[in-house]
């Protein structure tokens, strides 16, 4: 099966259109004020409506409280929720049940031990997103342009449905897919000219590279 692609951190109609034209399967909208990719609910709704019916709309949160979730999900009506903080298995399960939406849970990886922690979410999340572990003191939990040793997934990648993220670019995504057999990949900073500024040419090249890649 072809590898699916999520373009995350989109902020403009032009970037959304480029992603859709290139065949993106998921459109990621970030609701984390400290991120340069953060969008408000009004902007997010405009972008979501542009993509609705063409790609799955993913709303990304970091350790959100119920008030934030209620407001954004009621307004934007995403297809999926992504949790990119330190949410526990029970919290993931609670959010999934509350909104009746599939949940992507991000797990930060530096070593194989980190990757194995994803197993604790097997009963609560619909999809695991393996991202690179941020450096100590980093302002953002993801979207930092860091990659990790993909071999760290060797013992767990066949035990769950997962999406690969972390430092992926048009130049390295084919190798990442070949090594991990990822059924889906996620990119944000890897298709930007500056933090939070998507480069349409890089989005096109990334999508093309994924289409031409071969899974292991």
């Amino acid at each position: 099966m072809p590898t699916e692609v999520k373009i995350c951190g989109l902020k403009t109609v032009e970037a959304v259109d480029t992603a859709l034209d290139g065949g993106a399967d998921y459109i990621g909208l970030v609701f984390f004020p400290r991120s340069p990719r953060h969008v408000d609910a009004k902007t997010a709704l405009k972008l979501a409506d542009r993509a609705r019916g063409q790609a799955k709309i993913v709303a990304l949160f970091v350790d959100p409280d119920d008030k934030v979730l209620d407001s954004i999900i009621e307004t934007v009506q995403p297809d999926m929720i992504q949790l990119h903080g330190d949410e526990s298995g029970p919290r993931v399960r609670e959010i999934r049940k509350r909104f009746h939406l599939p949940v992507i849970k991000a797990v930060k990886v530096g070593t194989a031990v980190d990757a194995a922690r994803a197993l604790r979410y097997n009963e609560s999340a619909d999809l695991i997103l393996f991202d690179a572990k941020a450096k100590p003191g980093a302002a953002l939990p993801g979207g930092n342009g860091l990659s990790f040793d993909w071999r760290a997934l060797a013992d767990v990648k066949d035990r769950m449905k997962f999406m690969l993220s972390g430092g992926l670019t048009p130049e390295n995504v084919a190798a990442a897919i070949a090594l991990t057999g990822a059924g889906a990949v996620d990119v944000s900073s890897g298709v930007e000219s500056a933090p939070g500024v998507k480069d349409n040419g890089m989005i096109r090249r990334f999508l093309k590279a994924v289409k031409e890649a071969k899974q292991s």
Side-chain angles (χ1 to χ4, degrees), residues 18-38:
T18 299
L20 295 173
D21 289 344
D25 302 280
Y26 304 83
I27 298 299
L29 304 173
V30 175
F31 301 97
F32 183 52
R34 282 161 45 195
S35 171
R37 302 165 190 97
H38 172 74

Side-chain angles (χ1 to χ4, degrees), residues 84-119:
H84 216 95
D86 295 319
E87 300 88 2
S88 66
R91 177 59 173 157
V92 173
R93 189 178 299 110
E94 177 188 342
I95 290 171
R96 187 173 182 269
K97 183 178 179 181
R98 181 183 182 94
F99 297 101
H100 305 286
L101 289 173
V103 173
I104 301 170
K105 178 66 185 89
V107 173
K108 290 88 167 181
V109 179
T111 67
V113 173
D114 297 322
R117 294 193 178 105
L119 296 171

Side-chain angles (χ1 to χ4, degrees), residues 171-190:
E171 291 72 36
N172 70 10
V173 68
I177 292 169
L179 182 65
T180 65
V185 292
D186 171 82
V187 68
S188 187
S189 61

